[in-house]
């Protein structure tokens, strides 16, 4: 059962859903020498910031207001990015709960001066929480998948959420057990 379905409050009217295309976005940026690491390729942290920026824009668009990064999962760097690459960061909401959203991000790169197709160089999944002016969680509209690919992404996001929650529970239980045994004091 999704967070959206299980957290329904009978006294609160349902928020109308939004299609995935309503908040989907692409952020493009040309990489310069200021973006490089000691190996001469673009620093992973630069790519991660672009990923977070694009995902944050999508989360804010979908939720209709402020949203903060709660976690970044599975950031994968598939190919190096170089100075002069035009990087495209494509993001969309894959899943929504009551107050949170998973945003999927693909990172593509192409040479700025060539007409060859862009290559996928990275991907990530981020979870955002929608917040009000006081920083308190607020409800988000459900995401409405428009294609079979969107539906697959929604289903995969539910699996990732289940794994995140199980991992968090297992770690908490282990810490409590070790504390009860007088370990890790």
């Amino acid at each position: 059962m999704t967070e959206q379905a299980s957290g329904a409050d009978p006294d609160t009217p349902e928020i109308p859903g939004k299609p995935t295309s309503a908040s989907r976005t692409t952020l493009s940026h040309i990489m310069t020498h200021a973006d490089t690491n000691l190996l001469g390729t673009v620093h992973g942290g630069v790519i991660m910031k672009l990923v977070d920026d694009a995902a944050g824009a999508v989360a804010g668009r979908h939720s209709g207001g402020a949203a903060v990064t709660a976690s970044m999962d599975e950031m994968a760097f598939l190919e190096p990015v170089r100075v002069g690459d035009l990087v495209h960061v494509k993001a969309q909401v894959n899943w929504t709960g009551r107050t949170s959203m998973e945003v999927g991000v693909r990172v593509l790169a192409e040479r700025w001066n060539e007409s060859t197709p862009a290559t996928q160089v990275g991907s990530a999944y981020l979870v955002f929480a929608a917040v009000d002016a006081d920083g308190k969680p607020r409800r988000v509209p459900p995401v409405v998948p428009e294609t079979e690919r969107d539906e697959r992404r929604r289903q995969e996001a539910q699996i990732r959420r289940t794994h995140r929650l199980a991992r968090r529970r297992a770690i908490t239980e282990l810490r409590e057990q070790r504390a009860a045994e007088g370990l890790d004091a």
Side-chain angles (χ1 to χ4, degrees), residues 53-168:
D53 287 347
V58 166
R61 281 179 164 185
H62 183 83
S63 69
V68 295
T69 310
S71 69
M72 178 183 275
D73 286 354
E74 300 181 38
M75 180 71 211
F77 298 99
L78 307 172
E79 298 284 336
V81 177
R82 306 195 184 292
V83 169
D85 282 353
L86 182 57
V87 172
H88 308 286
V89 183
K90 297 177 176 277
Q92 77 171 45
V93 173
N94 290 335
W95 173 89
T96 54
R98 193 175 60 77
T99 62
S100 63
M101 303 157 273
E102 183 196 87
V103 178
V105 181
R106 284 187 327 132
V107 183
L108 304 147
E110 62 181 308
R111 295 305 296 169
W112 70 273
N113 60 348
E114 297 175 7
S115 59
T116 56
T119 303
Q120 185 170 352
V121 296
S123 65
Y125 300 101
L126 296 88
V127 176
F128 280 80
V131 294
D132 63 17
D134 297 322
K136 304 286 186 219
R138 63 181 175 79
R139 290 184 56 201
V140 298
V143 67
V144 179
E146 298 174 279
T147 66
E148 283 301 316
R149 180 179 280 180
D150 292 341
E151 178 57 26
R152 176 186 52 80
R153 287 178 176 158
R154 188 190 64 76
Q155 291 172 347
E156 290 172 357
Q158 287 178 307
I159 292 168
R160 282 186 292 276
R161 179 176 187 273
T162 299
H163 286 246
R164 276 191 299 272
L165 294 175
R167 183 177 60 235
R168 186 181 307 152

